[in-house]
PDB file of all heavy atoms in Angstrom:
ATOM      1  N   ASP U   1       0.828  -1.196   0.000  1.00  0.00           N
ATOM      2  CA  ASP U   1       0.000   0.000   0.000  1.00  0.00           C
ATOM      3  C   ASP U   1       0.869   1.256   0.000  1.00  0.00           C
ATOM      4  O   ASP U   1       0.618   2.201  -0.753  1.00  0.00           O
ATOM      5  CB  ASP U   1      -0.933  -0.021   1.208  1.00  0.00           C
ATOM      6  CG  ASP U   1      -1.877   1.155   1.234  1.00  0.00           C
ATOM      7  OD1 ASP U   1      -2.724   1.249   0.329  1.00  0.00           O
ATOM      8  OD2 ASP U   1      -1.766   1.975   2.174  1.00  0.00           O
ATOM      9  N   ARG U   2       1.900   1.284   0.828  1.00  0.00           N
ATOM     10  CA  ARG U   2       2.784   2.459   0.909  1.00  0.00           C
ATOM     11  C   ARG U   2       3.627   2.605  -0.351  1.00  0.00           C
ATOM     12  O   ARG U   2       3.886   3.719  -0.803  1.00  0.00           O
ATOM     13  CB  ARG U   2       3.692   2.394   2.135  1.00  0.00           C
ATOM     14  CG  ARG U   2       2.994   2.406   3.481  1.00  0.00           C
ATOM     15  CD  ARG U   2       1.875   3.440   3.574  1.00  0.00           C
ATOM     16  NE  ARG U   2       1.292   3.503   4.876  1.00  0.00           N
ATOM     17  CZ  ARG U   2       0.308   2.718   5.322  1.00  0.00           C
ATOM     18  NH1 ARG U   2      -0.207   1.792   4.554  1.00  0.00           N
ATOM     19  NH2 ARG U   2      -0.181   2.858   6.529  1.00  0.00           N
ATOM     20  N   LEU U   3       4.055   1.479  -0.929  1.00  0.00           N
ATOM     21  CA  LEU U   3       4.802   1.542  -2.189  1.00  0.00           C
ATOM     22  C   LEU U   3       3.929   2.125  -3.290  1.00  0.00           C
ATOM     23  O   LEU U   3       4.379   2.966  -4.078  1.00  0.00           O
ATOM     24  CB  LEU U   3       5.296   0.152  -2.587  1.00  0.00           C
ATOM     25  CG  LEU U   3       6.519  -0.363  -1.830  1.00  0.00           C
ATOM     26  CD1 LEU U   3       6.626  -1.879  -1.962  1.00  0.00           C
ATOM     27  CD2 LEU U   3       7.778   0.318  -2.354  1.00  0.00           C
ATOM     28  N   LEU U   4       2.687   1.701  -3.350  1.00  0.00           N
ATOM     29  CA  LEU U   4       1.765   2.222  -4.355  1.00  0.00           C
ATOM     30  C   LEU U   4       1.480   3.706  -4.120  1.00  0.00           C
ATOM     31  O   LEU U   4       1.361   4.481  -5.069  1.00  0.00           O
ATOM     32  CB  LEU U   4       0.465   1.418  -4.345  1.00  0.00           C
ATOM     33  CG  LEU U   4       0.573   0.020  -4.944  1.00  0.00           C
ATOM     34  CD1 LEU U   4      -0.606  -0.839  -4.526  1.00  0.00           C
ATOM     35  CD2 LEU U   4       0.694   0.098  -6.463  1.00  0.00           C
ATOM     36  N   ALA U   5       1.380   4.102  -2.869  1.00  0.00           N
ATOM     37  CA  ALA U   5       1.088   5.500  -2.543  1.00  0.00           C
ATOM     38  C   ALA U   5       2.268   6.413  -2.864  1.00  0.00           C
ATOM     39  O   ALA U   5       2.082   7.521  -3.380  1.00  0.00           O
ATOM     40  CB  ALA U   5       0.719   5.633  -1.070  1.00  0.00           C
ATOM     41  N   SER U   6       3.472   5.951  -2.579  1.00  0.00           N
ATOM     42  CA  SER U   6       4.641   6.816  -2.733  1.00  0.00           C
ATOM     43  C   SER U   6       5.301   6.693  -4.099  1.00  0.00           C
ATOM     44  O   SER U   6       5.944   7.634  -4.557  1.00  0.00           O
ATOM     45  CB  SER U   6       5.669   6.505  -1.648  1.00  0.00           C
ATOM     46  OG  SER U   6       6.246   5.230  -1.889  1.00  0.00           O
ATOM     47  N   GLY U   7       5.174   5.522  -4.714  1.00  0.00           N
ATOM     48  CA  GLY U   7       5.828   5.308  -6.006  1.00  0.00           C
ATOM     49  C   GLY U   7       7.328   5.186  -5.905  1.00  0.00           C
ATOM     50  O   GLY U   7       8.032   5.259  -6.902  1.00  0.00           O
ATOM     51  N   SER U   8       7.828   4.979  -4.689  1.00  0.00           N
ATOM     52  CA  SER U   8       9.272   4.835  -4.514  1.00  0.00           C
ATOM     53  C   SER U   8       9.575   3.995  -3.282  1.00  0.00           C
ATOM     54  O   SER U   8       8.855   4.053  -2.279  1.00  0.00           O
ATOM     55  CB  SER U   8       9.941   6.204  -4.415  1.00  0.00           C
ATOM     56  OG  SER U   8      10.252   6.591  -3.118  1.00  0.00           O
ATOM     57  N   VAL U   9      10.645   3.235  -3.371  1.00  0.00           N
ATOM     58  CA  VAL U   9      11.083   2.410  -2.239  1.00  0.00           C
ATOM     59  C   VAL U   9      11.507   3.312  -1.088  1.00  0.00           C
ATOM     60  O   VAL U   9      11.146   3.081   0.066  1.00  0.00           O
ATOM     61  CB  VAL U   9      12.220   1.445  -2.666  1.00  0.00           C
ATOM     62  CG1 VAL U   9      12.822   0.740  -1.468  1.00  0.00           C
ATOM     63  CG2 VAL U   9      11.695   0.433  -3.679  1.00  0.00           C
ATOM     64  N   THR U  10      12.247   4.361  -1.404  1.00  0.00           N
ATOM     65  CA  THR U  10      12.709   5.283  -0.363  1.00  0.00           C
ATOM     66  C   THR U  10      11.535   5.992   0.303  1.00  0.00           C
ATOM     67  O   THR U  10      11.484   6.109   1.529  1.00  0.00           O
ATOM     68  CB  THR U  10      13.693   6.309  -0.962  1.00  0.00           C
ATOM     69  OG1 THR U  10      14.796   5.595  -1.542  1.00  0.00           O
ATOM     70  CG2 THR U  10      14.211   7.269   0.095  1.00  0.00           C
ATOM     71  N   GLY U  11      10.572   6.438  -0.488  1.00  0.00           N
ATOM     72  CA  GLY U  11       9.394   7.103   0.070  1.00  0.00           C
ATOM     73  C   GLY U  11       8.577   6.179   0.944  1.00  0.00           C
ATOM     74  O   GLY U  11       8.119   6.567   2.028  1.00  0.00           O
ATOM     75  N   ALA U  12       8.386   4.947   0.498  1.00  0.00           N
ATOM     76  CA  ALA U  12       7.646   3.968   1.299  1.00  0.00           C
ATOM     77  C   ALA U  12       8.395   3.661   2.586  1.00  0.00           C
ATOM     78  O   ALA U  12       7.779   3.526   3.646  1.00  0.00           O
ATOM     79  CB  ALA U  12       7.414   2.697   0.499  1.00  0.00           C
ATOM     80  N   ALA U  13       9.708   3.568   2.503  1.00  0.00           N
ATOM     81  CA  ALA U  13      10.519   3.312   3.702  1.00  0.00           C
ATOM     82  C   ALA U  13      10.326   4.435   4.716  1.00  0.00           C
ATOM     83  O   ALA U  13      10.153   4.176   5.914  1.00  0.00           O
ATOM     84  CB  ALA U  13      11.989   3.173   3.323  1.00  0.00           C
ATOM     85  N   ARG U  14      10.322   5.671   4.239  1.00  0.00           N
ATOM     86  CA  ARG U  14      10.097   6.811   5.143  1.00  0.00           C
ATOM     87  C   ARG U  14       8.724   6.734   5.805  1.00  0.00           C
ATOM     88  O   ARG U  14       8.594   6.958   7.003  1.00  0.00           O
ATOM     89  CB  ARG U  14      10.214   8.123   4.370  1.00  0.00           C
ATOM     90  CG  ARG U  14      11.605   8.582   4.189  1.00  0.00           C
ATOM     91  CD  ARG U  14      11.634  10.024   3.673  1.00  0.00           C
ATOM     92  NE  ARG U  14      12.877  10.204   2.956  1.00  0.00           N
ATOM     93  CZ  ARG U  14      12.975  10.500   1.667  1.00  0.00           C
ATOM     94  NH1 ARG U  14      11.893  10.713   0.953  1.00  0.00           N
ATOM     95  NH2 ARG U  14      14.141  10.624   1.096  1.00  0.00           N
ATOM     96  N   LEU U  15       7.708   6.410   5.002  1.00  0.00           N
ATOM     97  CA  LEU U  15       6.345   6.325   5.545  1.00  0.00           C
ATOM     98  C   LEU U  15       6.226   5.245   6.620  1.00  0.00           C
ATOM     99  O   LEU U  15       5.442   5.376   7.559  1.00  0.00           O
ATOM    100  CB  LEU U  15       5.347   6.030   4.425  1.00  0.00           C
ATOM    101  CG  LEU U  15       5.097   7.154   3.421  1.00  0.00           C
ATOM    102  CD1 LEU U  15       4.284   6.641   2.235  1.00  0.00           C
ATOM    103  CD2 LEU U  15       4.397   8.320   4.096  1.00  0.00           C
ATOM    104  N   LEU U  16       6.993   4.166   6.462  1.00  0.00           N
ATOM    105  CA  LEU U  16       6.915   3.047   7.410  1.00  0.00           C
ATOM    106  C   LEU U  16       8.002   3.092   8.483  1.00  0.00           C
ATOM    107  O   LEU U  16       8.091   2.182   9.307  1.00  0.00           O
ATOM    108  CB  LEU U  16       6.983   1.721   6.647  1.00  0.00           C
ATOM    109  CG  LEU U  16       5.774   1.431   5.772  1.00  0.00           C
ATOM    110  CD1 LEU U  16       6.000   0.188   4.941  1.00  0.00           C
ATOM    111  CD2 LEU U  16       4.527   1.277   6.635  1.00  0.00           C
ATOM    112  N   HIS U  17       8.842   4.128   8.426  1.00  0.00           N
ATOM    113  CA  HIS U  17       9.916   4.293   9.413  1.00  0.00           C
ATOM    114  C   HIS U  17      10.855   3.088   9.434  1.00  0.00           C
ATOM    115  O   HIS U  17      11.207   2.576  10.502  1.00  0.00           O
ATOM    116  CB  HIS U  17       9.345   4.566  10.808  1.00  0.00           C
ATOM    117  CG  HIS U  17       8.387   5.706  10.836  1.00  0.00           C
ATOM    118  ND1 HIS U  17       8.790   7.017  10.726  1.00  0.00           N
ATOM    119  CD2 HIS U  17       7.039   5.734  10.903  1.00  0.00           C
ATOM    120  CE1 HIS U  17       7.736   7.806  10.750  1.00  0.00           C
ATOM    121  NE2 HIS U  17       6.653   7.054  10.846  1.00  0.00           N
ATOM    122  N   VAL U  18      11.236   2.643   8.226  1.00  0.00           N
ATOM    123  CA  VAL U  18      12.229   1.577   8.085  1.00  0.00           C
ATOM    124  C   VAL U  18      13.308   2.079   7.133  1.00  0.00           C
ATOM    125  O   VAL U  18      13.137   3.099   6.464  1.00  0.00           O
ATOM    126  CB  VAL U  18      11.615   0.254   7.554  1.00  0.00           C
ATOM    127  CG1 VAL U  18      10.559  -0.279   8.508  1.00  0.00           C
ATOM    128  CG2 VAL U  18      11.046   0.419   6.159  1.00  0.00           C
ATOM    129  N   THR U  19      14.396   1.350   7.053  1.00  0.00           N
ATOM    130  CA  THR U  19      15.465   1.748   6.155  1.00  0.00           C
ATOM    131  C   THR U  19      15.117   1.385   4.711  1.00  0.00           C
ATOM    132  O   THR U  19      14.275   0.511   4.462  1.00  0.00           O
ATOM    133  CB  THR U  19      16.790   1.061   6.527  1.00  0.00           C
ATOM    134  OG1 THR U  19      16.644  -0.347   6.342  1.00  0.00           O
ATOM    135  CG2 THR U  19      17.207   1.383   7.968  1.00  0.00           C
ATOM    136  N   GLN U  20      15.777   2.047   3.784  1.00  0.00           N
ATOM    137  CA  GLN U  20      15.562   1.749   2.370  1.00  0.00           C
ATOM    138  C   GLN U  20      15.943   0.299   2.056  1.00  0.00           C
ATOM    139  O   GLN U  20      15.189  -0.376   1.343  1.00  0.00           O
ATOM    140  CB  GLN U  20      16.336   2.757   1.513  1.00  0.00           C
ATOM    141  CG  GLN U  20      16.066   2.659   0.028  1.00  0.00           C
ATOM    142  CD  GLN U  20      16.920   1.604  -0.659  1.00  0.00           C
ATOM    143  OE1 GLN U  20      18.004   1.265  -0.199  1.00  0.00           O
ATOM    144  NE2 GLN U  20      16.421   1.083  -1.757  1.00  0.00           N
ATOM    145  N   PRO U  21      17.075  -0.227   2.585  1.00  0.00           N
ATOM    146  CA  PRO U  21      17.375  -1.634   2.318  1.00  0.00           C
ATOM    147  C   PRO U  21      16.303  -2.595   2.857  1.00  0.00           C
ATOM    148  O   PRO U  21      15.982  -3.599   2.224  1.00  0.00           O
ATOM    149  CB  PRO U  21      18.723  -1.857   3.006  1.00  0.00           C
ATOM    150  CG  PRO U  21      19.353  -0.502   3.039  1.00  0.00           C
ATOM    151  CD  PRO U  21      18.205   0.455   3.245  1.00  0.00           C
ATOM    152  N   ALA U  22      15.731  -2.261   4.011  1.00  0.00           N
ATOM    153  CA  ALA U  22      14.664  -3.108   4.566  1.00  0.00           C
ATOM    154  C   ALA U  22      13.447  -3.091   3.647  1.00  0.00           C
ATOM    155  O   ALA U  22      12.818  -4.123   3.411  1.00  0.00           O
ATOM    156  CB  ALA U  22      14.286  -2.646   5.971  1.00  0.00           C
ATOM    157  N   MET U  23      13.109  -1.924   3.108  1.00  0.00           N
ATOM    158  CA  MET U  23      11.969  -1.837   2.197  1.00  0.00           C
ATOM    159  C   MET U  23      12.270  -2.573   0.894  1.00  0.00           C
ATOM    160  O   MET U  23      11.380  -3.212   0.320  1.00  0.00           O
ATOM    161  CB  MET U  23      11.609  -0.378   1.924  1.00  0.00           C
ATOM    162  CG  MET U  23      10.394  -0.209   1.046  1.00  0.00           C
ATOM    163  SD  MET U  23       8.891  -1.027   1.632  1.00  0.00           S
ATOM    164  CE  MET U  23       8.538  -0.091   3.094  1.00  0.00           C
ATOM    165  N   SER U  24      13.497  -2.511   0.435  1.00  0.00           N
ATOM    166  CA  SER U  24      13.877  -3.260  -0.769  1.00  0.00           C
ATOM    167  C   SER U  24      13.707  -4.761  -0.553  1.00  0.00           C
ATOM    168  O   SER U  24      13.220  -5.470  -1.443  1.00  0.00           O
ATOM    169  CB  SER U  24      15.327  -2.956  -1.161  1.00  0.00           C
ATOM    170  OG  SER U  24      15.441  -1.648  -1.653  1.00  0.00           O
ATOM    171  N   ARG U  25      14.080  -5.235   0.623  1.00  0.00           N
ATOM    172  CA  ARG U  25      13.889  -6.666   0.940  1.00  0.00           C
ATOM    173  C   ARG U  25      12.403  -7.005   1.011  1.00  0.00           C
ATOM    174  O   ARG U  25      11.978  -8.075   0.562  1.00  0.00           O
ATOM    175  CB  ARG U  25      14.590  -7.027   2.253  1.00  0.00           C
ATOM    176  CG  ARG U  25      16.106  -7.085   2.130  1.00  0.00           C
ATOM    177  CD  ARG U  25      16.773  -7.656   3.372  1.00  0.00           C
ATOM    178  NE  ARG U  25      16.492  -6.907   4.586  1.00  0.00           N
ATOM    179  CZ  ARG U  25      17.186  -5.858   5.009  1.00  0.00           C
ATOM    180  NH1 ARG U  25      18.197  -5.400   4.298  1.00  0.00           N
ATOM    181  NH2 ARG U  25      16.871  -5.249   6.125  1.00  0.00           N
ATOM    182  N   THR U  26      11.608  -6.101   1.553  1.00  0.00           N
ATOM    183  CA  THR U  26      10.163  -6.313   1.614  1.00  0.00           C
ATOM    184  C   THR U  26       9.568  -6.380   0.214  1.00  0.00           C
ATOM    185  O   THR U  26       8.736  -7.243  -0.073  1.00  0.00           O
ATOM    186  CB  THR U  26       9.489  -5.200   2.444  1.00  0.00           C
ATOM    187  OG1 THR U  26      10.035  -5.228   3.768  1.00  0.00           O
ATOM    188  CG2 THR U  26       7.986  -5.378   2.493  1.00  0.00           C
ATOM    189  N   LEU U  27      10.010  -5.508  -0.672  1.00  0.00           N
ATOM    190  CA  LEU U  27       9.541  -5.549  -2.056  1.00  0.00           C
ATOM    191  C   LEU U  27       9.934  -6.882  -2.704  1.00  0.00           C
ATOM    192  O   LEU U  27       9.126  -7.482  -3.426  1.00  0.00           O
ATOM    193  CB  LEU U  27      10.092  -4.370  -2.853  1.00  0.00           C
ATOM    194  CG  LEU U  27       9.731  -4.337  -4.344  1.00  0.00           C
ATOM    195  CD1 LEU U  27       8.228  -4.419  -4.576  1.00  0.00           C
ATOM    196  CD2 LEU U  27      10.320  -3.093  -4.997  1.00  0.00           C
ATOM    197  N   ALA U  28      11.127  -7.365  -2.412  1.00  0.00           N
ATOM    198  CA  ALA U  28      11.551  -8.666  -2.953  1.00  0.00           C
ATOM    199  C   ALA U  28      10.630  -9.781  -2.452  1.00  0.00           C
ATOM    200  O   ALA U  28      10.248 -10.674  -3.215  1.00  0.00           O
ATOM    201  CB  ALA U  28      12.999  -8.948  -2.571  1.00  0.00           C
ATOM    202  N   ARG U  29      10.251  -9.731  -1.177  1.00  0.00           N
ATOM    203  CA  ARG U  29       9.318 -10.726  -0.630  1.00  0.00           C
ATOM    204  C   ARG U  29       7.952 -10.629  -1.297  1.00  0.00           C
ATOM    205  O   ARG U  29       7.334 -11.645  -1.614  1.00  0.00           O
ATOM    206  CB  ARG U  29       9.185 -10.552   0.887  1.00  0.00           C
ATOM    207  CG  ARG U  29      10.414 -11.031   1.635  1.00  0.00           C
ATOM    208  CD  ARG U  29      10.327 -10.806   3.136  1.00  0.00           C
ATOM    209  NE  ARG U  29       9.128 -11.346   3.748  1.00  0.00           N
ATOM    210  CZ  ARG U  29       8.546 -10.843   4.826  1.00  0.00           C
ATOM    211  NH1 ARG U  29       9.053  -9.787   5.416  1.00  0.00           N
ATOM    212  NH2 ARG U  29       7.477 -11.401   5.333  1.00  0.00           N
ATOM    213  N   LEU U  30       7.471  -9.409  -1.486  1.00  0.00           N
ATOM    214  CA  LEU U  30       6.191  -9.208  -2.167  1.00  0.00           C
ATOM    215  C   LEU U  30       6.227  -9.785  -3.575  1.00  0.00           C
ATOM    216  O   LEU U  30       5.285 -10.449  -4.013  1.00  0.00           O
ATOM    217  CB  LEU U  30       5.856  -7.720  -2.243  1.00  0.00           C
ATOM    218  CG  LEU U  30       5.256  -7.098  -0.997  1.00  0.00           C
ATOM    219  CD1 LEU U  30       5.380  -5.580  -1.038  1.00  0.00           C
ATOM    220  CD2 LEU U  30       3.804  -7.525  -0.864  1.00  0.00           C
ATOM    221  N   ARG U  31       7.323  -9.541  -4.279  1.00  0.00           N
ATOM    222  CA  ARG U  31       7.462 -10.058  -5.641  1.00  0.00           C
ATOM    223  C   ARG U  31       7.417 -11.577  -5.650  1.00  0.00           C
ATOM    224  O   ARG U  31       6.806 -12.180  -6.529  1.00  0.00           O
ATOM    225  CB  ARG U  31       8.768  -9.562  -6.252  1.00  0.00           C
ATOM    226  CG  ARG U  31       8.721  -8.094  -6.619  1.00  0.00           C
ATOM    227  CD  ARG U  31      10.066  -7.568  -7.039  1.00  0.00           C
ATOM    228  NE  ARG U  31       9.908  -6.265  -7.686  1.00  0.00           N
ATOM    229  CZ  ARG U  31      10.890  -5.402  -7.832  1.00  0.00           C
ATOM    230  NH1 ARG U  31      12.103  -5.674  -7.378  1.00  0.00           N
ATOM    231  NH2 ARG U  31      10.663  -4.257  -8.438  1.00  0.00           N
ATOM    232  N   GLU U  32       8.052 -12.173  -4.653  1.00  0.00           N
ATOM    233  CA  GLU U  32       8.085 -13.635  -4.554  1.00  0.00           C
ATOM    234  C   GLU U  32       6.695 -14.196  -4.246  1.00  0.00           C
ATOM    235  O   GLU U  32       6.240 -15.143  -4.864  1.00  0.00           O
ATOM    236  CB  GLU U  32       9.067 -14.033  -3.456  1.00  0.00           C
ATOM    237  CG  GLU U  32       9.320 -15.507  -3.344  1.00  0.00           C
ATOM    238  CD  GLU U  32      10.359 -15.788  -2.284  1.00  0.00           C
ATOM    239  OE1 GLU U  32      11.487 -15.273  -2.399  1.00  0.00           O
ATOM    240  OE2 GLU U  32      10.033 -16.512  -1.318  1.00  0.00           O
ATOM    241  N   VAL U  33       6.014 -13.594  -3.295  1.00  0.00           N
ATOM    242  CA  VAL U  33       4.697 -14.071  -2.874  1.00  0.00           C
ATOM    243  C   VAL U  33       3.655 -13.868  -3.971  1.00  0.00           C
ATOM    244  O   VAL U  33       2.825 -14.738  -4.230  1.00  0.00           O
ATOM    245  CB  VAL U  33       4.249 -13.343  -1.580  1.00  0.00           C
ATOM    246  CG1 VAL U  33       2.783 -13.573  -1.285  1.00  0.00           C
ATOM    247  CG2 VAL U  33       5.099 -13.792  -0.401  1.00  0.00           C
ATOM    248  N   LEU U  34       3.700 -12.726  -4.631  1.00  0.00           N
ATOM    249  CA  LEU U  34       2.681 -12.379  -5.606  1.00  0.00           C
ATOM    250  C   LEU U  34       3.043 -12.782  -7.041  1.00  0.00           C
ATOM    251  O   LEU U  34       2.262 -12.564  -7.963  1.00  0.00           O
ATOM    252  CB  LEU U  34       2.372 -10.879  -5.534  1.00  0.00           C
ATOM    253  CG  LEU U  34       1.788 -10.432  -4.188  1.00  0.00           C
ATOM    254  CD1 LEU U  34       1.644  -8.922  -4.139  1.00  0.00           C
ATOM    255  CD2 LEU U  34       0.452 -11.110  -3.924  1.00  0.00           C
ATOM    256  N   LEU U  35       4.215 -13.349  -7.206  1.00  0.00           N
ATOM    257  CA  LEU U  35       4.657 -13.863  -8.509  1.00  0.00           C
ATOM    258  C   LEU U  35       4.574 -12.811  -9.618  1.00  0.00           C
ATOM    259  O   LEU U  35       4.115 -13.076 -10.724  1.00  0.00           O
ATOM    260  CB  LEU U  35       3.833 -15.098  -8.902  1.00  0.00           C
ATOM    261  CG  LEU U  35       3.794 -16.231  -7.876  1.00  0.00           C
ATOM    262  CD1 LEU U  35       2.831 -17.307  -8.324  1.00  0.00           C
ATOM    263  CD2 LEU U  35       5.183 -16.782  -7.623  1.00  0.00           C
ATOM    264  N   ASP U  36       5.017 -11.598  -9.263  1.00  0.00           N
ATOM    265  CA  ASP U  36       4.970 -10.493 -10.213  1.00  0.00           C
ATOM    266  C   ASP U  36       6.041  -9.480  -9.802  1.00  0.00           C
ATOM    267  O   ASP U  36       6.277  -9.299  -8.595  1.00  0.00           O
ATOM    268  CB  ASP U  36       3.586  -9.825 -10.174  1.00  0.00           C
ATOM    269  CG  ASP U  36       3.402  -8.794 -11.255  1.00  0.00           C
ATOM    270  OD1 ASP U  36       3.027  -9.196 -12.380  1.00  0.00           O
ATOM    271  OD2 ASP U  36       3.633  -7.599 -10.997  1.00  0.00           O
TER     272      ASP U  36
END
């Protein structure tokens, strides 16, 4: 939801108060789970 709202990994990381590398890992997990 935050990635879609911000359009950026860094922006989503800021919104969720996590680091950019942590958000990048989360995006990788999402890609794996959603097969896209």
Side-chain angles (χ1 to χ4, degrees):
D1 183 65
R2 297 316 184 275
L3 283 161
L4 287 163
S6 70
S8 101
V9 171
T10 302
R14 278 192 206 118
L15 290 170
L16 292 173
H17 307 287
V18 299
T19 64
Q20 187 276 334
M23 183 56 67
S24 289
R25 287 189 301 273
T26 300
L27 177 54
R29 287 177 53 210
L30 279 162
R31 287 172 166 161
E32 187 177 302
V33 167
L34 297 174
L35 306 174
D36 188 85

